[in-house]
Amino acid sequence: MRRYQTTTLLFAACLTALAGFVDALAYSSMGGFFASFMSGNTTRLGVSLATGAGGDARIGAGLILSFLSGVIAATVVARARPRRQRVAVMALVTLLLGGAALFAPYHPAIVPLLLLATAMGAENGVFTRDGEVSIGLTYMTGALVRIGQGLAGALLGDGPRWDWARHLALWLGFGGGVILGARCYGAYGSGALWIAAAAAAGLTLAAQATQRDTA
């Protein structure tokens, strides 16, 4: 992760919290599938193929393809609006989450779940530089690796002492979002999707304040 202004780092942590919130809703409603954690879905897909669980395999494959579709859509939107990339991508995320909330009462659970995965794929397009993701918002394994590397560098005295704290903030944001998402799902069921959509709308407005901070 490159050096960013404090407002942008806070914004990124809020986005990881949104991803954690959405992942908790997906996990709680679909028996262990994820909206943002594609390594987990790939594992479910592989195990299902090996054991002949065709239904789970189709869900896993659908989620992975939906996530990929979200990444593609966000890339197209970002290139179409290069000066307002973050706002445009977050508007797309908001529309997808709103669609999931709208369809949840009327369609099988898999339909909103696919929209959630598409939204999380799109969210990764908020921070890009030269066509590459500069801050990962939904995959926390990379954040944990960088925390470990940063701590090792600080202990050995050959790196910035507190550089690892940025990645810790992202991981804590994700974990906090998961806890909040699980609680909201327990209280409101699929209605918690509206909370996710509202949060995304608020973050779309906040994106404008960070747009000038280069990614």
Side-chain angles (χ1 to χ4, degrees):
M1 187 194 302
R2 296 173 174 81
R3 293 189 179 277
Y4 290 91
Q5 296 178 6
T6 301
T7 55
T8 297
L9 291 173
L10 178 61
F11 178 58
C14 289
L15 289 174
T16 63
L18 176 62
F21 187 96
V22 170
D23 228 18
L25 298 184
Y27 184 90
S28 299
S29 63
M30 286 300 295
F33 284 98
F34 303 92
S36 72
F37 181 45
M38 292 303 112
S39 294
N41 288 334
T42 300
T43 300
R44 291 290 301 268
L45 172 62
V47 171
S48 299
L49 290 174
T51 59
D56 284 356
R58 287 190 290 272
I59 293 173
L63 291 169
I64 292 167
L65 291 174
S66 295
F67 186 91
L68 180 61
S69 297
V71 174
I72 294 171
T75 301
V76 172
V77 168
R79 291 184 180 180
R81 296 288 187 272
R83 294 184 178 180
R84 294 175 58 84
Q85 168 188 321
R86 296 178 187 175
V87 176
V89 172
M90 280 308 303
L92 173 62
V93 172
T94 301
L95 286 174
L96 290 166
L97 292 178
L102 185 64
F103 294 148
Y106 307 107
H107 290 265
I110 185 60
V111 174
L113 184 61
L114 293 176
L115 289 172
L116 293 182
T118 307
M120 293 300 95
E123 187 179 274
N124 283 287
V126 173
F127 294 101
T128 59
R129 185 182 180 90
D130 299 326
E132 299 290 335
V133 173
S134 55
I135 301 181
L137 298 173
T138 67
Y139 35 94
M140 291 298 105
T141 301
L144 289 172
V145 170
R146 289 178 176 84
I147 290 170
Q149 291 174 330
L151 286 171
L155 289 171
L156 295 173
D158 60 358
R161 178 173 296 182
W162 297 104
D163 192 59
W164 55 272
R166 308 178 196 178
H167 306 286
L168 178 62
L170 298 181
W171 181 80
L172 290 174
F174 189 92
V178 171
I179 294 171
L180 183 59
R183 289 185 175 275
C184 286
Y185 183 80
Y188 306 113
S190 62
L193 290 170
W194 288 111
I195 299 176
L203 289 170
T204 300
L205 297 176
Q208 182 62 47
T210 70
Q211 189 65 64
R212 292 184 180 180
D213 185 14
T214 57

